[in-house]
Amino acid sequence: MAMNDSVNILNSAYLAVEYIDSFLPDNPLQQPFKNAWNYMLDNYTKFQIATWGSLIVHEVSYFLLCVPGFIFQFIPYMQKYKIQQDKPETWEKQWKCFKTLLFNHFFIQLPLICGTYYFTEYFNIPYGWEEMPRWYILVAQCFGCAVIEDAWHYFLHRLLHHKRIYKYIHKVHHEFVSPFGMQAEYAHPLETLILGTGFFIGIVVFCNHVVLLWAWVICRLMETIDVHSGYDVPLNPLHLVPFYAGARFHDFHHMNFIGNYASTFTWWDRLFGTDSQFIAYQEKEKKKQCITKK
């Protein structure tokens, strides 16, 4: 009975969104996107699209999303939004980070990306424009992927902080006490594999078109670069996502090497009390601000 009620609720929600979508104006970018997508299908093989297309989407998205945070360090006005103002970025750290990223991207992640084509073939994942899901389905799928990845990340990330294994793997990521956007994927190769597995679980569960692979890549990079940015910028649209953790939440983890283990949402840390030190820290900061204003 409960299952039937849940299905009815989901069907009703789907119909409601579909009804609202029918009143929305046509997206002016839809036709150019359709033309570009069909051009890609006509001129490249599925292997090329799945492999090199996925690599390009990852690399272009990653470094473009890092640009705002990189520019912020040169803008005095933006320094008031920097969380750890006493720890500015340095060229030495950023160059070291960049070199490690290139190694991880091309020697760890690229071999994994090469399996994308075989995944789509095995599960008969379509590439065509006509089979592409509507935008609201894609948004819901990406949210579902984020929920799954967040759960995986919380428990495995917390395990990597265990005193017996921390220094061998996860310590690499914590070389930077004050994180910056480009550092989001700066990690030991084993950590890239261990925590990266959570990214693929949602794909296995939800993927019904190759476009979800790329949409989820962009969403995941947007989130992880934001929480590692080191800046708590107001009017951040990601803060509209329910239970979104944000930069301050994860920055505290880098400052103290404990607590706030989840990647995207706050509920796992709240449930297990691993955000208690962060909450206490926030209370102290609020008191300091009140005293300063007085």
Side-chain angles (χ1 to χ4, degrees), residues 221-246:
L221 290 179
M222 193 182 304
E223 177 277 325
T224 191
I225 290 170
D226 176 59
V227 302
H228 284 92
S229 67
Y231 290 84
D232 186 18
V233 181
L235 303 178
N236 185 338
L238 288 175
H239 291 164
L240 297 174
V241 178
F243 301 101
Y244 181 65

Side-chain angles (χ1 to χ4, degrees), residues 54-74:
S54 297
L55 178 66
I56 290 169
V57 167
H58 180 272
E59 295 305 302
V60 171
S61 299
Y62 191 91
F63 289 106
L64 276 181
L65 289 167
C66 287
V67 167
F70 180 78
I71 294 175
F72 287 168
Q73 65 184 308
F74 304 111

Side-chain angles (χ1 to χ4, degrees), residues 17-27 134-136:
V17 174
E18 198 170 45
Y19 179 74
I20 293 170
D21 182 58
S22 66
F23 288 97
L24 296 176
D26 292 336
N27 184 351
R134 296 286 292 170
W135 66 268
Y136 46 86

Side-chain angles (χ1 to χ4, degrees), residues 119 123 141 144-153 156 193-207 212-213 216:
F119 166 78
F123 288 102
Q141 289 173 326
C145 288
V147 171
I148 292 172
E149 190 282 332
D150 185 68
W152 176 272
H153 192 100
L156 273 295
L193 293 173
I194 293 168
L195 296 185
T197 300
F199 172 89
F200 295 103
I201 298 174
I203 292 297
V204 173
V205 173
F206 294 109
C207 195
L212 176 63
L213 291 166
W216 172 222

Side-chain angles (χ1 to χ4, degrees), residues 182-197:
M182 191 169 58
Q183 189 243 336
E185 291 187 344
Y186 179 88
H188 190 284
L190 275 178
E191 179 174 340
T192 300
L193 293 173
I194 293 168
L195 296 185
T197 300

Side-chain angles (χ1 to χ4, degrees), residues 154-220:
Y154 176 83
F155 292 104
L156 273 295
H157 182 197
R158 188 172 178 180
L159 178 63
L160 289 175
H161 272 271
H162 191 281
K163 60 183 180 181
R164 291 188 177 180
I165 59 176
Y166 170 78
K167 64 181 179 180
Y168 299 110
I169 302 174
H170 193 52
K171 186 178 180 180
V172 173
H173 184 68
H174 277 282
E175 284 182 22
F176 303 106
V177 177
S178 178
F180 47 92
M182 191 169 58
Q183 189 243 336
E185 291 187 344
Y186 179 88
H188 190 284
L190 275 178
E191 179 174 340
T192 300
L193 293 173
I194 293 168
L195 296 185
T197 300
F199 172 89
F200 295 103
I201 298 174
I203 292 297
V204 173
V205 173
F206 294 109
C207 195
N208 59 353
H209 195 280
V210 72
V211 75
L212 176 63
L213 291 166
W214 296 353
W216 172 222
V217 164
I218 295 169
C219 287
R220 178 68 180 116

